[in-house]
Amino acid sequence: MDKTRYLTTKSLQILKFVGFLAVYLIVESVFEIASDYIKNPLSARHLLGLSLVLIAGGLSLIGWRYGKQLEANNPRKIGRKKPTAKRISQLIWLFILMTLVQMAWQ
């Protein structure tokens, strides 16, 4: 492998990681700033709403990037299997079970 190609690939991977870290820190800081406005509920509500929108954007960015990585290298074909009735019923039963457990703890 060519050294410049290797260094370029690794540098790009590092920059992507730093970018994701920056997105996380920005979102987390806006969420934390909302706690400073405890005496002003309207401003706190606005900041919490903004932080929730930013969190959704950050999660969608991470999900998009994960999907791109799976497209590039997916030896076990994760996410490529079609949903079957058995899998859907297992998901429904898991949801029901977790709901019942949560209700029992209350």
Side-chain angles (χ1 to χ4, degrees), residues 30-92:
V30 172
F31 197 68
E32 190 173 322
I33 289 171
S35 66
D36 294 339
Y37 289 91
I38 196 155
K39 293 188 180 190
N40 190 349
L42 185 62
S43 295
R45 198 173 339 165
H46 286 265
L47 278 172
L48 286 173
L50 176 65
S51 66
L52 289 176
V53 169
L54 289 174
I55 287 170
L59 286 174
S60 64
L61 179 67
I62 290 170
W64 170 78
R65 186 66 201 139
Y66 181 67
K68 288 298 219 181
Q69 287 176 343
L70 279 181
E71 285 177 10
N73 185 18
N74 191 3
R76 297 187 187 265
K77 306 296 181 219
I78 296 172
R80 300 283 188 239
K81 298 178 182 175
K82 301 214 182 291
T84 62
K86 180 181 176 183
R87 289 185 184 177
I88 292 172
S89 65
Q90 286 175 345
L91 182 65
I92 291 170

